[in-house]
Amino acid sequence: MTFNFTRRFVLFATCLLFADVAAVTAEAPAGPPKGCDPCRASDLVELVKLDPTIKLDIRYATPDNFVGKAVYPEARAFLQRPAAEALLSAHRWLKEQGYGLVIYDAYRPWSVTKLFWDVTPPEQRIFVADPSTGSVHNRGCAVDVGLFDLRTGRIVEMPGAYDEMTERSFVTYAGATAEQRARRDLLRKAMEQDGYFFVLPEEWWHFDFKDFRDYAIENIPFSAIRPATTDH
């Protein structure tokens, strides 16, 4: 009787252990999901090489982000070429309004998306992408942007801070000042008016390129990126 009870207990404990391992594995995929099949050829281009008047403020290359440490080895920003060209069109239009685009993030390796998911509390994961499906950033088709004043060169304030995980980040947030809301709405107009980008409702700064599903989820470091065609 004792033997049977002990054996059953061991089997039960073993099943629980495997169940826990399976749950952890399901939450933490070993590598990027497949995504599209077939996919368009990747052609990641560096934004400042296309237009040096774009300002960079790559927070993930510094400790000034919600993780509290640098997760990029260098402050660089890449997008798939069609998305980059659409972004430049928005930047040029904004110049006529006295503003320019500041880039907070663009292409993001999948491993960084997984890190963000792992360190974010479950109740705040509305603000981060699930690594099991991948992020539009991983495809080189999402960009995090704000505005800077052309006259002063200073980044202007929005209703909420970049990467702020509160309702102030929502595009429908009615608080803050009228001027801050007007800037947020101007940014959205610039990015969406040609039909190439659309905003993420929970993040005023995040815009997805319309054809993002055509591109693979990538996990290559910035230093390994080589454009498929010559910049022009």
Side-chain angles (χ1 to χ4, degrees):
M1 187 75 175
T2 303
F3 172 75
N4 289 337
F5 173 78
T6 302
R7 185 171 66 179
R8 287 176 182 175
F9 177 79
V10 170
L11 287 172
F12 177 71
T14 302
C15 288
L16 286 179
L17 175 61
F18 278 107
D20 288 343
V21 170
V24 170
T25 302
E27 290 184 0
K34 188 174 183 180
C36 54
D37 184 20
C39 301
R40 291 176 63 173
S42 180
D43 187 11
L44 291 168
V45 293
E46 192 160 8
L47 297 179
V48 294
K49 289 185 178 179
L50 294 182
D51 188 337
T53 67
I54 284 181
K55 183 185 288 288
L56 296 185
D57 185 12
I58 309 299
R59 302 288 180 85
Y60 298 137
T62 76
D64 183 19
N65 59 67
F66 77 96
V67 179
K69 66 177 183 180
V71 296
Y72 292 163
E74 49 193 344
R76 303 175 72 184
F78 300 82
L79 284 177
Q80 298 293 349
R81 186 176 295 276
E85 291 173 349
L87 184 77
L88 294 185
S89 177
H91 179 60
R92 288 190 291 268
W93 182 84
L94 280 165
K95 284 183 174 182
E96 298 174 3
Q97 323 306 316
Y99 294 99
L101 285 174
V102 55
I103 311 299
Y104 296 117
D105 194 24
Y107 163 71
R108 178 188 305 159
W110 177 87
S111 59
V112 177
T113 292
K114 183 179 181 302
L115 170 66
F116 289 172
W117 181 263
D118 291 344
V119 303
T120 301
E123 65 274 13
Q124 292 185 316
R125 283 180 173 171
I126 186 177
F127 296 103
V128 294
D130 185 342
S132 68
T133 56
S135 166
V136 182
H137 281 290
N138 304 151
R139 302 171 188 260
C141 290
V143 62
D144 295 347
V145 291
L147 298 177
F148 71 92
D149 187 305
L150 289 180
R151 183 176 58 84
T152 65
R154 294 180 180 177
I155 297 173
V156 301
E157 291 185 350
M158 298 291 187
Y162 169 63
D163 254 1
E164 182 177 329
M165 294 185 180
T166 74
E167 64 177 1
R168 292 164 59 90
S169 297
F170 296 174
V171 295
T172 54
Y173 179 65
T177 69
E179 186 177 15
Q180 290 169 338
R181 293 194 305 272
R183 290 169 182 158
R184 177 195 65 196
D185 296 343
L186 178 67
L187 173 64
R188 183 176 180 181
K189 179 179 180 180
M191 293 294 290
E192 291 188 336
Q193 63 183 351
D194 291 333
Y196 292 106
F197 287 100
F198 53 93
V199 73
L200 187 67
E202 297 83 10
E203 298 177 349
W204 59 259
W205 58 83
H206 178 116
F207 293 85
D208 291 334
F209 182 63
K210 66 181 183 67
D211 295 332
F212 71 86
R213 292 180 182 85
D214 295 342
Y215 292 91
I217 294 166
E218 301 194 50
N219 195 31
I220 58 175
F222 294 164
S223 59
I225 293 175
R226 299 291 184 270
T229 56
T230 303
D231 290 341
H232 54 273

